[in-house]
Amino acid sequence: MMNAIVKAEELSCFYGIVLGLNNVSFEIPAGITGLVGPNGAGKSTLIKLITGQLAPSSGRLSVFGERPRNNPKLLGQLGYCPEREQLPKDLRPVAWLRALASVSGTPWRDTKAVAEKALIRSRLGKEHWKKRIGTYSKGMKQRVKLAQSIMHDPKLIVLDEPMNGLDPMGRAEFGEILRELNEQGTSIVVSSHILHELEFLCSGFVMLNWGRVLASGSQIDIRKTVVEWSDEISVRCSDPRLLAAHLQEQGLLRGFLADGQDLTIWVNEPESFLAHWPKLFSGCDCEIFEMRNKNQALSSIFERMTR
Ligand SMILES: Nc1ncnc2c1ncn2[C@@H]1O[C@H](COP(=O)(O)OP(=O)(O)OP(=O)(O)O)[C@@H](O)[C@H]1O
């Protein structure tokens, strides 16, 4: 890939014998990229590798062409927004950010401007600046954390599950802020265990599960992969032949096999089928007991990610 900003080659990271990431290779271009996968998939591990907090156990990872570990020059170009909340309840946001900027080497007289600019960019309304952070909503705290990560004007911001706990409106607003930062030239890597949360925001994804990359690339690339993996679907139901006829009438099937209460179907457009199956099954007088993809692992991931 031309101009990859993050490149992993056969990258592994183990915690003792626990597997964090297992031999993954992928590239992330400039733009907004989602790291998606269920809990324990390896998202935080990857984020900690990108931000130099962990060292690879084997393989290579480069960010803007350089190794992140023990690389202060590179780390100065990265912003990190951790999953955990580590904000002081009793401070007001400007005081907190000024302290951080000062610790990072900004001359004290400049810290006010730096802190305020970051709060404006992360869209924390000025009317809230006089309140203590402890009184803030989840969404407002996220904005303070974001401001914290962009004070030094990084080229890449990495955010670990920033949408967690936000309501749909809060997620949409936070997405807007990230999009605006990206339009101003900052690349963004953002993780979530819910694909749906990031679908509207990210141009590309790295999909992880059990420390492995299931798929990576643009939304279009990934959809193609998912389609290839899951065109065979098994259904246990009260009347397989009736259901097969119902689906066939709608032109959805390439083929089917009915055996007792088991129906195996090969669908033409798995992605759309899996997204709409309740609607497609409705109107058929057949009770559905269970539905599985040929690739079990994928079906559960797919379900969890697309829910
Ligand atoms: N400090 C650690 N010590 C031991 N094992 C760890 C440590 N951190 C993560 N792991 C393990 O590594 C694997 C990947 O975890 P990781 O936190 O990267 O996943 P994740 O996708 O970020 O999940 P979550 O959304 O739950 O944070 C899991 O099996 C996890 O238990």
PDB file of all heavy atoms in Angstrom, residues 32-56:
ATOM      1  N   ILE A  32      -9.366   7.880   8.553  1.00  0.00           N
ATOM      2  CA  ILE A  32      -9.936   7.406   9.821  1.00  0.00           C
ATOM      3  C   ILE A  32     -10.123   5.900   9.719  1.00  0.00           C
ATOM      4  O   ILE A  32     -10.849   5.407   8.851  1.00  0.00           O
ATOM      5  CB  ILE A  32     -11.291   8.063  10.134  1.00  0.00           C
ATOM      6  CG1 ILE A  32     -11.219   9.588   9.990  1.00  0.00           C
ATOM      7  CG2 ILE A  32     -11.746   7.695  11.543  1.00  0.00           C
ATOM      8  CD1 ILE A  32     -12.493  10.322  10.374  1.00  0.00           C
ATOM      9  N   THR A  33      -9.447   5.171  10.589  1.00  0.00           N
ATOM     10  CA  THR A  33      -9.484   3.709  10.533  1.00  0.00           C
ATOM     11  C   THR A  33     -10.036   3.152  11.836  1.00  0.00           C
ATOM     12  O   THR A  33      -9.647   3.592  12.921  1.00  0.00           O
ATOM     13  CB  THR A  33      -8.054   3.153  10.303  1.00  0.00           C
ATOM     14  OG1 THR A  33      -7.562   3.705   9.088  1.00  0.00           O
ATOM     15  CG2 THR A  33      -8.064   1.628  10.208  1.00  0.00           C
ATOM     16  N   GLY A  34     -10.925   2.174  11.725  1.00  0.00           N
ATOM     17  CA  GLY A  34     -11.513   1.529  12.901  1.00  0.00           C
ATOM     18  C   GLY A  34     -10.802   0.224  13.226  1.00  0.00           C
ATOM     19  O   GLY A  34     -10.528  -0.567  12.332  1.00  0.00           O
ATOM     20  N   LEU A  35     -10.504   0.018  14.500  1.00  0.00           N
ATOM     21  CA  LEU A  35     -10.037  -1.290  14.969  1.00  0.00           C
ATOM     22  C   LEU A  35     -11.237  -1.929  15.642  1.00  0.00           C
ATOM     23  O   LEU A  35     -11.706  -1.431  16.660  1.00  0.00           O
ATOM     24  CB  LEU A  35      -8.937  -1.161  16.026  1.00  0.00           C
ATOM     25  CG  LEU A  35      -7.645  -0.450  15.663  1.00  0.00           C
ATOM     26  CD1 LEU A  35      -6.693  -0.493  16.854  1.00  0.00           C
ATOM     27  CD2 LEU A  35      -7.025  -1.129  14.462  1.00  0.00           C
ATOM     28  N   VAL A  36     -11.736  -3.004  15.051  1.00  0.00           N
ATOM     29  CA  VAL A  36     -12.979  -3.576  15.556  1.00  0.00           C
ATOM     30  C   VAL A  36     -12.774  -5.019  15.965  1.00  0.00           C
ATOM     31  O   VAL A  36     -12.061  -5.769  15.297  1.00  0.00           O
ATOM     32  CB  VAL A  36     -14.080  -3.515  14.468  1.00  0.00           C
ATOM     33  CG1 VAL A  36     -15.416  -3.928  15.058  1.00  0.00           C
ATOM     34  CG2 VAL A  36     -14.184  -2.136  13.905  1.00  0.00           C
ATOM     35  N   GLY A  37     -13.401  -5.419  17.049  1.00  0.00           N
ATOM     36  CA  GLY A  37     -13.344  -6.811  17.479  1.00  0.00           C
ATOM     37  C   GLY A  37     -13.943  -6.926  18.858  1.00  0.00           C
ATOM     38  O   GLY A  37     -13.995  -5.943  19.593  1.00  0.00           O
ATOM     39  N   PRO A  38     -14.412  -8.126  19.200  1.00  0.00           N
ATOM     40  CA  PRO A  38     -15.020  -8.313  20.518  1.00  0.00           C
ATOM     41  C   PRO A  38     -14.005  -8.136  21.644  1.00  0.00           C
ATOM     42  O   PRO A  38     -12.798  -8.032  21.388  1.00  0.00           O
ATOM     43  CB  PRO A  38     -15.547  -9.747  20.475  1.00  0.00           C
ATOM     44  CG  PRO A  38     -14.887 -10.401  19.323  1.00  0.00           C
ATOM     45  CD  PRO A  38     -14.412  -9.348  18.391  1.00  0.00           C
ATOM     46  N   ASN A  39     -14.475  -8.149  22.879  1.00  0.00           N
ATOM     47  CA  ASN A  39     -13.569  -7.994  24.022  1.00  0.00           C
ATOM     48  C   ASN A  39     -12.479  -9.047  23.971  1.00  0.00           C
ATOM     49  O   ASN A  39     -12.742 -10.207  23.679  1.00  0.00           O
ATOM     50  CB  ASN A  39     -14.336  -8.127  25.344  1.00  0.00           C
ATOM     51  CG  ASN A  39     -15.246  -6.937  25.574  1.00  0.00           C
ATOM     52  OD1 ASN A  39     -14.962  -5.840  25.104  1.00  0.00           O
ATOM     53  ND2 ASN A  39     -16.336  -7.155  26.264  1.00  0.00           N
ATOM     54  N   GLY A  40     -11.257  -8.608  24.240  1.00  0.00           N
ATOM     55  CA  GLY A  40     -10.141  -9.551  24.254  1.00  0.00           C
ATOM     56  C   GLY A  40      -9.576  -9.842  22.878  1.00  0.00           C
ATOM     57  O   GLY A  40      -8.682 -10.675  22.733  1.00  0.00           O
ATOM     58  N   ALA A  41     -10.046  -9.141  21.843  1.00  0.00           N
ATOM     59  CA  ALA A  41      -9.602  -9.424  20.469  1.00  0.00           C
ATOM     60  C   ALA A  41      -8.154  -8.992  20.237  1.00  0.00           C
ATOM     61  O   ALA A  41      -7.475  -9.523  19.361  1.00  0.00           O
ATOM     62  CB  ALA A  41     -10.509  -8.722  19.465  1.00  0.00           C
ATOM     63  N   GLY A  42      -7.705  -8.015  21.001  1.00  0.00           N
ATOM     64  CA  GLY A  42      -6.336  -7.530  20.818  1.00  0.00           C
ATOM     65  C   GLY A  42      -6.259  -6.058  20.431  1.00  0.00           C
ATOM     66  O   GLY A  42      -5.188  -5.560  20.083  1.00  0.00           O
ATOM     67  N   LYS A  43      -7.381  -5.354  20.525  1.00  0.00           N
ATOM     68  CA  LYS A  43      -7.402  -3.946  20.110  1.00  0.00           C
ATOM     69  C   LYS A  43      -6.486  -3.094  20.988  1.00  0.00           C
ATOM     70  O   LYS A  43      -5.672  -2.326  20.484  1.00  0.00           O
ATOM     71  CB  LYS A  43      -8.847  -3.393  20.174  1.00  0.00           C
ATOM     72  CG  LYS A  43      -9.850  -4.195  19.378  1.00  0.00           C
ATOM     73  CD  LYS A  43     -11.245  -3.613  19.462  1.00  0.00           C
ATOM     74  CE  LYS A  43     -11.865  -3.622  20.831  1.00  0.00           C
ATOM     75  NZ  LYS A  43     -12.147  -4.958  21.401  1.00  0.00           N
ATOM     76  N   SER A  44      -6.661  -3.248  22.313  1.00  0.00           N
ATOM     77  CA  SER A  44      -5.843  -2.416  23.215  1.00  0.00           C
ATOM     78  C   SER A  44      -4.370  -2.771  23.079  1.00  0.00           C
ATOM     79  O   SER A  44      -3.503  -1.890  23.161  1.00  0.00           O
ATOM     80  CB  SER A  44      -6.271  -2.603  24.674  1.00  0.00           C
ATOM     81  OG  SER A  44      -7.608  -2.220  24.824  1.00  0.00           O
ATOM     82  N   THR A  45      -4.092  -4.050  22.881  1.00  0.00           N
ATOM     83  CA  THR A  45      -2.701  -4.469  22.699  1.00  0.00           C
ATOM     84  C   THR A  45      -2.111  -3.765  21.482  1.00  0.00           C
ATOM     85  O   THR A  45      -1.002  -3.218  21.547  1.00  0.00           O
ATOM     86  CB  THR A  45      -2.641  -6.007  22.505  1.00  0.00           C
ATOM     87  OG1 THR A  45      -3.234  -6.625  23.650  1.00  0.00           O
ATOM     88  CG2 THR A  45      -1.218  -6.487  22.335  1.00  0.00           C
ATOM     89  N   LEU A  46      -2.860  -3.765  20.386  1.00  0.00           N
ATOM     90  CA  LEU A  46      -2.366  -3.118  19.170  1.00  0.00           C
ATOM     91  C   LEU A  46      -2.162  -1.624  19.398  1.00  0.00           C
ATOM     92  O   LEU A  46      -1.141  -1.044  18.987  1.00  0.00           O
ATOM     93  CB  LEU A  46      -3.360  -3.372  18.024  1.00  0.00           C
ATOM     94  CG  LEU A  46      -3.014  -2.751  16.683  1.00  0.00           C
ATOM     95  CD1 LEU A  46      -1.623  -3.156  16.226  1.00  0.00           C
ATOM     96  CD2 LEU A  46      -4.050  -3.160  15.638  1.00  0.00           C
ATOM     97  N   ILE A  47      -3.104  -1.006  20.085  1.00  0.00           N
ATOM     98  CA  ILE A  47      -2.995   0.433  20.353  1.00  0.00           C
ATOM     99  C   ILE A  47      -1.758   0.720  21.208  1.00  0.00           C
ATOM    100  O   ILE A  47      -1.026   1.678  20.974  1.00  0.00           O
ATOM    101  CB  ILE A  47      -4.295   0.928  21.028  1.00  0.00           C
ATOM    102  CG1 ILE A  47      -5.387   1.030  19.964  1.00  0.00           C
ATOM    103  CG2 ILE A  47      -4.077   2.263  21.744  1.00  0.00           C
ATOM    104  CD1 ILE A  47      -6.735   1.463  20.479  1.00  0.00           C
ATOM    105  N   LYS A  48      -1.503  -0.153  22.182  1.00  0.00           N
ATOM    106  CA  LYS A  48      -0.326   0.064  23.034  1.00  0.00           C
ATOM    107  C   LYS A  48       0.977  -0.167  22.258  1.00  0.00           C
ATOM    108  O   LYS A  48       1.995   0.456  22.557  1.00  0.00           O
ATOM    109  CB  LYS A  48      -0.392  -0.843  24.267  1.00  0.00           C
ATOM    110  CG  LYS A  48      -1.440  -0.335  25.248  1.00  0.00           C
ATOM    111  CD  LYS A  48      -1.541  -1.191  26.467  1.00  0.00           C
ATOM    112  CE  LYS A  48      -2.685  -0.696  27.348  1.00  0.00           C
ATOM    113  NZ  LYS A  48      -3.275  -1.774  28.133  1.00  0.00           N
ATOM    114  N   LEU A  49       0.925  -1.036  21.272  1.00  0.00           N
ATOM    115  CA  LEU A  49       2.110  -1.222  20.423  1.00  0.00           C
ATOM    116  C   LEU A  49       2.327   0.017  19.541  1.00  0.00           C
ATOM    117  O   LEU A  49       3.452   0.507  19.399  1.00  0.00           O
ATOM    118  CB  LEU A  49       1.939  -2.465  19.538  1.00  0.00           C
ATOM    119  CG  LEU A  49       2.050  -3.823  20.255  1.00  0.00           C
ATOM    120  CD1 LEU A  49       1.465  -4.933  19.391  1.00  0.00           C
ATOM    121  CD2 LEU A  49       3.507  -4.133  20.597  1.00  0.00           C
ATOM    122  N   ILE A  50       1.234   0.515  18.972  1.00  0.00           N
ATOM    123  CA  ILE A  50       1.345   1.691  18.085  1.00  0.00           C
ATOM    124  C   ILE A  50       1.874   2.891  18.862  1.00  0.00           C
ATOM    125  O   ILE A  50       2.667   3.677  18.354  1.00  0.00           O
ATOM    126  CB  ILE A  50      -0.034   2.025  17.443  1.00  0.00           C
ATOM    127  CG1 ILE A  50      -0.456   0.927  16.466  1.00  0.00           C
ATOM    128  CG2 ILE A  50       0.000   3.382  16.732  1.00  0.00           C
ATOM    129  CD1 ILE A  50      -1.858   1.097  15.895  1.00  0.00           C
ATOM    130  N   THR A  51       1.436   3.007  20.120  1.00  0.00           N
ATOM    131  CA  THR A  51       1.840   4.176  20.902  1.00  0.00           C
ATOM    132  C   THR A  51       3.097   3.906  21.740  1.00  0.00           C
ATOM    133  O   THR A  51       3.405   4.670  22.667  1.00  0.00           O
ATOM    134  CB  THR A  51       0.685   4.637  21.814  1.00  0.00           C
ATOM    135  OG1 THR A  51       0.199   3.499  22.544  1.00  0.00           O
ATOM    136  CG2 THR A  51      -0.460   5.218  21.017  1.00  0.00           C
ATOM    137  N   GLY A  52       3.775   2.797  21.441  1.00  0.00           N
ATOM    138  CA  GLY A  52       5.084   2.539  22.052  1.00  0.00           C
ATOM    139  C   GLY A  52       5.034   2.118  23.510  1.00  0.00           C
ATOM    140  O   GLY A  52       6.068   2.068  24.177  1.00  0.00           O
ATOM    141  N   GLN A  53       3.847   1.812  24.036  1.00  0.00           N
ATOM    142  CA  GLN A  53       3.770   1.411  25.448  1.00  0.00           C
ATOM    143  C   GLN A  53       4.169  -0.045  25.629  1.00  0.00           C
ATOM    144  O   GLN A  53       4.532  -0.451  26.725  1.00  0.00           O
ATOM    145  CB  GLN A  53       2.353   1.612  25.975  1.00  0.00           C
ATOM    146  CG  GLN A  53       1.890   3.052  25.906  1.00  0.00           C
ATOM    147  CD  GLN A  53       0.407   3.166  26.219  1.00  0.00           C
ATOM    148  OE1 GLN A  53      -0.012   2.935  27.331  1.00  0.00           O
ATOM    149  NE2 GLN A  53      -0.384   3.516  25.225  1.00  0.00           N
ATOM    150  N   LEU A  54       4.036  -0.831  24.568  1.00  0.00           N
ATOM    151  CA  LEU A  54       4.466  -2.232  24.596  1.00  0.00           C
ATOM    152  C   LEU A  54       5.459  -2.444  23.462  1.00  0.00           C
ATOM    153  O   LEU A  54       5.410  -1.741  22.444  1.00  0.00           O
ATOM    154  CB  LEU A  54       3.272  -3.166  24.352  1.00  0.00           C
ATOM    155  CG  LEU A  54       2.247  -3.357  25.469  1.00  0.00           C
ATOM    156  CD1 LEU A  54       1.083  -4.203  24.955  1.00  0.00           C
ATOM    157  CD2 LEU A  54       2.896  -4.022  26.679  1.00  0.00           C
ATOM    158  N   ALA A  55       6.313  -3.445  23.652  1.00  0.00           N
ATOM    159  CA  ALA A  55       7.237  -3.826  22.577  1.00  0.00           C
ATOM    160  C   ALA A  55       6.719  -5.099  21.920  1.00  0.00           C
ATOM    161  O   ALA A  55       6.171  -5.964  22.615  1.00  0.00           O
ATOM    162  CB  ALA A  55       8.614  -4.091  23.170  1.00  0.00           C
ATOM    163  N   PRO A  56       6.849  -5.230  20.598  1.00  0.00           N
ATOM    164  CA  PRO A  56       6.435  -6.484  19.952  1.00  0.00           C
ATOM    165  C   PRO A  56       7.238  -7.656  20.520  1.00  0.00           C
ATOM    166  O   PRO A  56       8.416  -7.490  20.849  1.00  0.00           O
ATOM    167  CB  PRO A  56       6.800  -6.270  18.478  1.00  0.00           C
ATOM    168  CG  PRO A  56       6.967  -4.806  18.305  1.00  0.00           C
ATOM    169  CD  PRO A  56       7.388  -4.260  19.635  1.00  0.00           C
TER     170      PRO A  56
END
